[in-house]
Amino acid sequence: FDLGGKIFRRFGAGPTAQRDLTDFVSTVAKTHDSFAFLLKELQETASTGVAVLLPNNTVHVELVHGHFVTKGFADPTVYVLDAAGEVLRHEPGNQAFAMQLEGGKKVRVPVEHPIEATQVQLHAIRSAAVGLAGRYPGAGVEFGFTPDEQFFLVDLYQSAATTPPERRDVLSQGRVVGVVRILQLPDNAVEESVERHVHSRRESQTDSSQQPEILVVERPLHVLDQLVYDAAPGTLGFICEGGALLCHLAVVMREHGVPGLIVPDATRTFIDGERIALDTRPGSTAALTRL
């Protein structure tokens, strides 16, 4: 996208990356004699986050140590900022490890305490979220801070469903009645989630014969997004033990009307094969009902 005369585009390492980059260079070269590429996600990074300007003029911010905040592997530290940039709400995160890039490889680094942002950092975050919303209403901004606290932009979160529900335990609104399936993800699910934006088909392969299911998982990891794309309307829901309102999977769930709820200890609370109703719509008297 074009922002103030500067052209931004994201490239991954998928099978079409070389062709895409060649085409992009050819296109830009037609009107620019010289230009530069900045590999922002690969630089030294202390923290990353995502923020969105809400309809009430507050800014919702989610922040983690390390890279890849949107992949859903940690409960981020949450800030809600008012129109003057003052903190209305602050919820420390729950992060066991940070994802870092060392020598081009993804590495898990233990985390001892939740991340906290300085007032200067929060001001930079709010300015970016408000500025972006002026050009792309409803869009969120993914950003980072270097070890010396320099602010940088990573990506644009452009979706009609970026804005989260008001309830903090609701990832996505909707209703589904189905059979519980407790889903255990492989140990490398976090690393696969980091690669998911490159390899995901991001298109529907809907199976109309699919029986309604409510998947119970520990975390709303990015690697689960294709299940949402493939589900017929009204046939899928998620119950997660933790989660982030602005993580990739939550946004995709909201785009597709797939309900999602946060229930601590969910994998030990529900029984594989039991039938329940999951209702996260506004005004619902009971989010969960065993049938």
Side-chain angles (χ1 to χ4, degrees), residues 127-149:
S127 295
V130 172
L132 182 68
R135 293 184 66 102
Y136 302 94
V141 59
E142 187 179 353
F143 59 87
F145 288 97
T146 62
D148 61 355
E149 298 188 0

Side-chain angles (χ1 to χ4, degrees), residues 41-169:
E41 259 185 327
L42 302 182
Q43 67 185 31
E44 285 191 84
T45 298
S47 61
T48 51
V50 60
V52 62
L53 178 67
L54 302 181
N56 63 3
N57 206 34
T58 63
V59 172
H60 180 96
V61 181
E62 297 179 356
L63 190 67
V64 298
H65 291 284
H67 290 264
F68 312 120
V69 62
T70 63
K71 307 311 176 187
F73 65 89
D75 291 343
T77 292
V78 174
Y79 291 92
V80 176
L81 310 176
D82 66 13
E86 297 298 319
V87 177
L88 296 175
R89 178 161 60 89
H90 170 219
E91 297 177 3
N94 181 19
Q95 185 176 6
F97 60 87
M99 292 298 297
Q100 291 287 5
L101 293 173
E102 297 180 4
K105 297 182 179 180
K106 298 175 287 292
V107 179
R108 299 189 187 194
V109 178
V111 168
E112 296 182 355
H113 53 80
I115 192 166
E116 293 194 10
T118 66
Q119 193 61 44
V120 172
Q121 289 175 322
L122 292 174
H123 176 76
I125 294 167
R126 191 182 189 286
S127 295
V130 172
L132 182 68
R135 293 184 66 102
Y136 302 94
V141 59
E142 187 179 353
F143 59 87
F145 288 97
T146 62
D148 61 355
E149 298 188 0
Q150 293 298 307
F151 178 81
F152 64 91
L153 299 176
V154 175
D155 205 354
L156 173 72
Y157 240 51
Q158 192 168 17
S159 166
T162 301
T163 300
E166 293 184 5
R167 278 182 54 176
R168 302 178 198 176
D169 62 339

